[in-house]
Amino acid sequence: ITTAHLHESRITQLALFDGLTKLPNRISLDDRLQQALLRADRNQLKVALGFIDMDHFKLINDTFGHKAGDEVLVSLSRRLKAALREIDTLARWGGDEFVVLLPDLSTLNPMRTIAERLREIAREGITLDGLETKPTISIGFAIYPDDASNAEELLSAADHTMFHAKSAGRNNVQFYGDLLHSKSLDR
């Protein structure tokens, strides 16, 4: 029974968590996101979802090698996770992309504070082969139900906003609602 339980635990770990960072993977994130949206509807709360992408990660891999790149991802994921509240989720989306889920928000103030804290934490130096690298990240946030009516739309809006953060010079945080506001002003 113990061996079977250990195997089952290992299979669950592999199915729901990223092998490198040990963060929840897409499957686990989707479940947590669905639960967060249900609670938000039931309790008239908001859910913030942020796509996080490392800036110039390819340069780290090309300069230091993929093993060092993996070390940066693990170190960065630990730092980002430490900046979150207990109820928040940091998941690895793939490659050098992460997703942060901030559920149960009665106001958006915690989201803005956490977003800036994540950006600052990412810029702390990481030493690789005796050389310090200071990675930066671009983050795009979207809010449920303000910016999207379901999980798929929320993921899409946050992803779109992250790409806007990259095109706006990288190393910054953008919010979907602000993008819509600035586009309406441009018209």
Side-chain angles (χ1 to χ4, degrees), residues 54-55 60 72 76 79 119-126 133-137 171:
M54 285 189 64
D55 300 326
I60 292 172
V72 169
L76 180 64
R79 289 179 183 182
R119 195 177 70 80
E120 290 298 321
I121 283 173
R123 292 191 337 199
E124 294 174 6
I126 297 173
T133 183
K134 293 193 176 203
T136 60
I137 58 175
N171 188 28

Side-chain angles (χ1 to χ4, degrees), residues 9-29:
S9 295
R10 180 71 178 136
I11 290 168
T12 300
Q13 176 75 19
L14 292 172
L16 300 177
F17 293 89
D18 176 61
L20 178 65
T21 63
K22 308 301 184 233
L23 293 174
N25 64 16
R26 288 183 186 199
I27 295 167
S28 185
L29 173 68

Side-chain angles (χ1 to χ4, degrees), residues 165-183:
K166 284 217 171 277
S167 68
R170 301 179 193 268
N171 188 28
N172 71 78
V173 179
Q174 297 287 321
F175 302 95
Y176 189 80
D178 295 346
L179 294 181
L180 291 181
H181 180 71
S182 71
K183 285 180 182 179

Side-chain angles (χ1 to χ4, degrees), residues 116-175:
E116 193 54 37
R117 192 175 339 147
L118 292 172
R119 195 177 70 80
E120 290 298 321
I121 283 173
R123 292 191 337 199
E124 294 174 6
I126 297 173
T127 303
L128 299 170
D129 295 333
L131 298 172
E132 185 178 49
T133 183
K134 293 193 176 203
T136 60
I137 58 175
S138 297
I139 309 174
F141 268 99
I143 310 301
Y144 174 87
D146 303 11
D147 305 326
S149 61
N150 59 49
E152 187 177 328
E153 288 177 9
L154 188 62
L155 285 161
S156 178
D159 190 35
H160 172 78
T161 307
M162 182 270 296
F163 279 104
H164 179 75
K166 284 217 171 277
S167 68
R170 301 179 193 268
N171 188 28
N172 71 78
V173 179
Q174 297 287 321
F175 302 95

Side-chain angles (χ1 to χ4, degrees), residues 97-108:
E97 284 189 333
F98 299 90
V99 175
V100 62
L101 172 64
L102 309 176
D104 305 336
L105 297 171
S106 56
T107 72
L108 298 181

Side-chain angles (χ1 to χ4, degrees), residues 22-96:
K22 308 301 184 233
L23 293 174
N25 64 16
R26 288 183 186 199
I27 295 167
S28 185
L29 173 68
D30 185 57
D31 181 57
R32 293 174 189 202
L33 177 56
Q34 295 297 337
Q35 294 301 317
L37 297 184
L38 289 172
R39 281 194 317 276
D41 288 340
R42 188 172 45 247
N43 301 317
Q44 284 77 49
L45 296 171
K46 297 184 183 291
V47 175
L49 186 97
F51 258 85
I52 302 170
D53 189 75
M54 285 189 64
D55 300 326
H56 308 293
F57 183 68
K58 183 179 181 328
L59 185 62
I60 292 172
N61 273 339
D62 291 348
T63 304
F64 297 102
H66 290 279
K67 184 177 179 191
D70 287 350
E71 290 175 31
V72 169
L73 290 173
V74 170
S75 177
L76 180 64
S77 68
R78 285 185 188 138
R79 289 179 183 182
L80 295 176
K81 188 173 190 281
L84 300 176
R85 304 170 304 168
E86 181 91 15
I87 61 171
D88 300 335
T89 297
L90 179 68
R92 184 162 181 217
W93 190 253
D96 63 336

